[in-house]
Amino acid sequence: MSLFPRDIVSAAEAIIRDFTAAGLMISTAESCTGGLISSALTEISGSSAVVDRGFVTYTNTAKIELLGVQEATLIRFGAVSEETARQMAHGALFRSRADIAVAVTGIAGPGGGSAEKPVGLVHLAAKSRTGALIHRKMLYGDIGRSEVRLATIRTALDIVRSLFSGR
């Protein structure tokens, strides 16, 4: 039995299998998911060969101190932005031994949203050491905190697989 729905487990299994075969490692930088992406990956036996580390950077200070996100970026664009997600992915990649990093920042709700940044808005970015980068802006809607977080895990694992396939 797993902590996660079957589709998430299957996606994580595929990443662990593919990364193991390729000799690659991954790191995560998570805000709104609070470590759940790393948890989904480490749910899989053999993940220690693939998962280097995970950064849970819920506050702006943590994003700055642990990932090197620029304070000016947070002031200008906010924590929930494409720019912040990209810098989080970059920081997770270059502050680890990973070949690919994935980062997520968003508003899971039920509060915290605004007209410009509604509940359910999540920015995701994945970056590889080759310089390839994928960004996705997702508007999951106000579907509930747990559902936003699960949807974010699914999207994060999907963009990791996309980046892996395109390398």
Side-chain angles (χ1 to χ4, degrees):
M1 186 167 142
S2 174
L3 297 170
F4 297 95
R6 185 71 209 142
D7 64 315
I8 289 175
V9 172
S10 294
E13 286 172 339
I15 289 169
I16 299 303
R17 181 189 63 242
D18 293 346
F19 276 52
T20 299
L24 298 177
M25 296 192 85
I26 187 170
S27 67
T28 64
E30 303 181 60
S31 188
C32 64
T33 50
L36 290 172
I37 298 165
S38 289
S39 184
L41 291 167
T42 59
E43 183 82 1
I44 310 307
S45 179
S47 59
S48 60
V50 172
V51 179
D52 180 53
R53 66 194 74 184
F55 300 89
V56 176
T57 55
Y58 215 68
T59 65
N60 286 350
T61 301
K63 289 174 181 65
I64 292 166
E65 291 177 356
L66 296 177
L67 299 172
V69 172
Q70 298 297 305
E71 185 175 13
T73 299
L74 294 165
I75 292 168
R76 181 170 178 197
F77 300 104
V80 180
S81 65
E82 176 178 352
E83 294 79 6
T84 296
R86 286 174 178 255
Q87 287 185 17
M88 289 173 67
H90 181 86
L93 186 64
F94 290 101
R95 293 175 184 222
S96 73
R97 297 177 59 218
D99 301 285
I100 291 176
V102 63
V104 300
T105 183
I107 304 166
S114 67
E116 298 81 29
K117 295 184 180 184
V119 170
L121 168 65
V122 179
H123 284 275
L124 304 95
K127 185 171 184 168
S128 76
R129 290 215 181 250
T130 65
L133 180 104
I134 296 174
H135 165 262
R136 284 198 194 154
K137 174 184 177 181
M138 303 301 293
L139 293 165
Y140 299 115
D142 192 356
I143 58 175
R145 185 174 185 81
S146 293
E147 291 306 315
V148 168
R149 288 160 50 110
L150 286 170
T152 301
I153 297 166
R154 288 179 177 103
T155 304
L157 296 177
D158 182 59
I159 65 173
V160 166
R161 292 180 75 190
S162 295
L163 195 59
F164 174 84
S165 299
R167 52 175 197 97

